[in-house]
């Protein structure tokens, strides 16, 4: 068997694929957060940023395809490994007592599926404009030319408490997934030594908290009337 | 002490099996857990019933034979202790105790609480060794080993291959066992020549044996009677990546001479 193929189908190789694609997805989550937080700089700043992204043209497609590939590889490894581990214990224990694992670690499959559903909803809402077509069609006129009013669309979206709640809950699920994932990937990539011994366990929860607070600040600010 | 035991009974590999309840009275708190089962077996034999089959050998915590999941924890409630070194004083009068075999597809139940751990032997056969050419004995200490490396190797080498890591893992993975064996030899100069061949061969065999994969729950480290650190798994992951992708492999010899 070819080296790459043998690596790719092995349990540890598949985990390393999950870890590496996980890093790419984490970087996307961070980059997207930095972009979104520009809403606090006002309508022009956010709309300039959104227009800038659109103007990237082919580069935007490179990023999109790369991101989709990372998602698919991550999910493929997750499915293969999960099925394998379910088969590894055909007869369950009558009694189990966990002593080290966390709730986040045990629910990675569920939180992962929920994150995929959320991402699809999020795309339908803000990228494809199917959820709220009127808000999606909002425009802003700059120098006589009309452009997409992302700021107005986001504010209109989160002014509806139900939609805001969906986003906050989704962020909580995402944060849970990341709190295990970001710590776990360090172990999978072989990070070790006295310097990292305890740090590894805190990296995930710290990262998850940062992401959660960052993203939730936006619907919270809209609901509280700080951003309008 | 009076105890109620729920013990897994299974006539053979193909039997469905089920729990059997036994009430025990006057259990001495000074007995080991296995001695308590011995006493129960004496009464079963006296009553003309089949005694409970369970694995045990040295009864001093070093052989790795005893294998019982006691109230949901491999080797019972005491950390860093094998079942044979667990004493009844760790339980309370009136306790209900559930006793199950290691549960893993790779460790099929042979009878009652005995499982076949041959999968571990096959992983070791795949690469868990160093090749030593015969010849005269080397000078002592001609291979310098730092204290730090010797300690790390020894900590990993204390693995007794009992399989509690597999039993404890929510995924039935054998990562801590393989990691301990890899780490043991990877820290020593004698382990270097075959280091990367070893890790690829052992992981390949591990995957072949129907063990699950590691999702970093770290239940294995908690269950390990020898307190082997899960940091060894990080070393295994790194060594595997190197061995599987980068390391050179020996050339295939052509013909047979």
């Amino acid at each position: 068997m070819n080296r790459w193929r043998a690596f790719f189908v092995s349990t540890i190789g598949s985990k390393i694929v999950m870890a590496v694609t996980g890093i790419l997805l984490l970087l996307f989550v961070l980059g997207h957060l930095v972009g979104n937080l520009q809403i606090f700089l006002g309508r022009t700043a956010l709309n300039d940023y959104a227009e800038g992204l659109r103007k990237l043209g082919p580069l935007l497609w490179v990023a999109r395809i790369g991101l989709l590939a990372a998602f698919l590889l991550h999910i493929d490894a997750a499915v293969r490994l999960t099925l394998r581990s379910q088969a590894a214990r055909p007869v369950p224990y009558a009694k189990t007592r966990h002593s080290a694992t966390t709730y986040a670690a045990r629910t990675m499959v569920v939180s992962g599926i929920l994150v995929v559903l959320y991402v699809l909803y999020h795309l339908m809402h803000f990228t494809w404009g199917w959820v709220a077509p009127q808000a999606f069609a909002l425009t802003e006129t700059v120098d006589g030319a009309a452009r997409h009013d992302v700021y107005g669309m986001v504010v209109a979206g989160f002014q509806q408490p139900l939609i805001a709640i969906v986003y906050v809950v989704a962020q909580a699920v995402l944060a849970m997934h990341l709190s295990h994932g970001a710590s776990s990937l360090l172990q999978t990539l072989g990070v070790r030594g006295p310097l990292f011994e305890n740090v590894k366990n805190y990296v995930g929860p710290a990262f998850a908290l940062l992401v959660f607070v960052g993203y939730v600040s936006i619907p919270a600010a809209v609901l509280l009337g700080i951003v309008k | 002490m009076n105890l109620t035991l729920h013990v897994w009974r299974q006539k053979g590999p193909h039997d469905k099996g089920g729990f059997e309840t036994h009430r025990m009275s006057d259990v001495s708190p000074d007995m080991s857990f296995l001695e308590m089962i011995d006493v129960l077996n004496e009464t079963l034999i006296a009553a003309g019933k089949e005694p409970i089959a369970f694995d045990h050998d040295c009864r001093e915590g070093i052989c790795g034979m005893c294998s019982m999941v006691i109230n949901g924890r491999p080797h019972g409630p005491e950390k860093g202790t094998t079942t044979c070194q667990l004493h009844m004083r760790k339980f309370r009068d009136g306790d209900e105790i559930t006793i199950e075999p290691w549960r893993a597809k790779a460790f099929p139940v042979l009878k009652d609480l005995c499982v076949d751990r041959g999968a571990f032997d096959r992983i070791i056969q795949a690469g868990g060794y160093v090749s030593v050419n015969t010849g005269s004995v080397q000078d002592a200490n001609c291979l310098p080993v730092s204290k730090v490396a010797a300690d790390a190797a020894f900590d990993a080498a204390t693995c007794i291959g009992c399989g509690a890591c597999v039993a404890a893992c929510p995924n039935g993975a054998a990562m801590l066992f393989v990691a301990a064996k890899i780490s043991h030899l990877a820290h020593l100069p004698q382990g270097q020549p075959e280091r990367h061949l070893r890790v690829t061969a052992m992981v390949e065999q591990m995957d072949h044996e129907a063990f699950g994969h590691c999702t970093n729950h770290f239940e294995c480290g908690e269950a390990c009677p020898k307190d082997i650190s899960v940091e060894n798994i990080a070393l295994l992951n790194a060594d595997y990546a190197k061995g599987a992708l980068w390391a050179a492999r020996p050339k295939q010899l052509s013909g047979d001479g």
Side-chain angles (χ1 to χ4, degrees):
Chain A
M1 199 163 22
N2 164 302
R3 259 183 198 222
W4 282 101
R5 199 178 142 61
F7 175 82
F8 192 76
V9 298
S10 74
T11 50
I12 297 181
S14 305
K15 280 294 293 188
I16 292 174
V17 169
M18 282 198 92
V20 171
T21 52
I23 291 176
L24 295 177
L25 296 169
L26 288 181
L27 289 176
F28 168 73
V29 165
L30 270 188
H32 191 35
L33 175 61
V34 172
N36 288 2
L37 287 177
Q38 294 181 62
I39 197 167
F40 291 107
L41 299 177
R43 187 182 300 268
T44 316
L46 187 68
N47 289 354
D48 279 350
Y49 164 71
E51 203 184 3
L53 277 185
R54 291 263 168 190
K55 279 185 179 157
L56 284 176
L59 264 182
L60 182 64
W61 280 103
V62 170
R64 279 175 171 168
I65 290 167
L67 199 56
L68 184 66
F71 253 112
L72 292 179
L73 285 170
H74 197 76
I75 293 168
D76 167 66
V79 170
R80 282 187 292 117
L81 291 171
T82 304
L83 291 177
R84 181 188 173 91
S85 287
Q86 277 175 354
R89 178 160 296 138
V91 183
Y93 287 111
K95 216 169 171 181
T96 37
R97 252 192 72 191
H98 299 299
S99 34
T101 178
T102 59
Y103 184 74
R106 290 196 303 277
T107 53
M108 285 305 268
V109 174
V110 180
S111 57
I113 292 170
L114 290 174
V115 166
V116 170
L117 293 177
Y118 160 67
V119 167
L120 288 175
Y121 173 77
H122 187 47
L123 288 172
M124 288 195 273
H125 190 187
F126 287 145
T127 307
W128 302 326
W130 302 345
V131 174
Q134 284 135 331
F136 189 73
L138 286 176
T139 51
E140 179 199 31
T141 314
V142 180
D143 301 332
R147 68 175 181 181
H148 200 46
D149 182 14
V150 175
Y151 185 95
M153 174 179 76
V154 172
V155 171
F158 290 149
Q159 273 173 347
Q160 300 173 52
L162 203 65
I163 287 186
I165 289 171
V166 168
Y167 274 85
V168 172
V169 171
Q171 287 308 320
V173 174
L174 176 66
M176 216 169 68
H177 197 75
L178 298 184
S179 75
H180 178 71
S183 281
S184 194
L185 69 87
L186 297 175
Q187 171 84 357
T188 303
L189 293 178
V191 173
R192 62 192 186 282
L195 195 59
F196 302 105
E197 207 176 335
N198 297 314
V199 177
K200 273 197 278 187
N201 295 335
Y202 297 109
V203 167
F207 184 83
L209 188 68
L210 175 84
V211 166
F212 182 76
V213 170
Y215 275 111
V216 166
S217 71
I218 298 167
V222 172
L223 280 183
L224 293 174
I226 300 167
V227 170
K228 54 196 164 196
Chain B
M1 295 167 81
N2 295 318
L3 299 170
T4 308
L5 305 184
H6 304 288
V7 188
W8 183 261
R9 300 304 302 265
Q10 186 171 335
K11 288 194 179 77
H14 305 294
D15 183 32
K16 202 165 164 279
F19 283 98
E20 197 175 85
T21 302
H22 294 281
R23 275 173 232 294
M24 294 193 68
S25 47
D26 297 327
V27 173
S28 160
D30 297 328
M31 282 177 180
S32 76
F33 200 85
L34 297 187
E35 284 166 340
M36 185 269 297
I37 308 272
D38 289 336
V39 170
L40 173 60
N41 274 346
E42 293 292 338
T43 62
L44 289 177
I45 293 166
K49 290 181 193 153
E50 183 78 10
I52 298 160
F54 64 97
D55 273 325
H56 62 105
D57 190 17
C58 73
R59 298 210 179 190
E60 53 189 26
I62 57 169
C63 78
M65 273 311 280
C66 50
S67 49
M68 293 179 186
V69 175
I70 300 163
N71 283 343
R73 296 184 69 166
H75 294 299
E78 200 178 1
K79 196 168 160 17
T81 308
T82 54
T83 303
C84 64
Q85 295 296 297
L86 173 68
H87 289 82
M88 297 316 294
R89 54 180 168 269
K90 299 288 170 189
F91 296 88
R92 269 176 296 182
D93 186 39
D95 271 2
E96 289 204 25
I97 305 174
T98 305
I99 309 170
E100 297 172 78
W102 286 175
R103 296 274 187 217
K105 192 179 180 195
F107 289 164
V109 173
L110 297 174
K111 189 177 181 184
D112 297 342
L113 303 171
C114 299
V115 298
D116 177 2
R117 282 168 287 187
F120 271 10
D121 298 334
R122 292 187 290 275
I123 292 174
I124 295 294
Q125 279 167 0
Y129 50 79
V130 291
S131 300
V132 178
N133 295 323
T134 52
S136 55
V137 176
Q138 265 184 341
D139 280 350
N141 296 330
C142 77
L143 286 175
V145 181
S146 76
K147 169 79 172 132
V148 174
D151 284 349
F154 189 78
D155 284 348
T158 55
C159 168
I160 53 177
C162 66
C165 44
V166 176
C169 178
N171 304 314
M175 288 287 279
L176 191 62
F177 168 76
V178 176
K181 301 305 172 190
I182 288 296
S183 179
H184 165 196
L185 296 173
H187 280 102
L188 296 173
Q190 292 90 338
Q192 300 313 312
E194 292 157 309
R195 181 168 180 173
H196 294 118
L197 288 177
R198 174 183 310 116
V199 71
T200 33
M202 288 178 79
V203 169
E204 196 179 301
Q205 187 65 32
M206 171 181 89
D207 287 353
H208 182 69
E209 295 288 352
F211 289 109
H213 76 294
C214 183
T215 50
N216 305 317
H217 289 289
F218 303 145
E219 287 294 323
C220 51
E222 288 297 308
C224 178
K226 297 296 156 187
D227 284 330
I228 289 178
S229 164
V230 294
E231 201 173 61
N232 291 305
I233 296 178
L235 174 80
L236 167 62
N237 290 330
D239 265 26
Y240 177 75
K242 255 182 252 164
L245 294 178
W246 286 286
R249 305 243 168 102
K251 283 180 194 157
Q252 288 283 322
L253 297 176
S254 56
D256 53 358

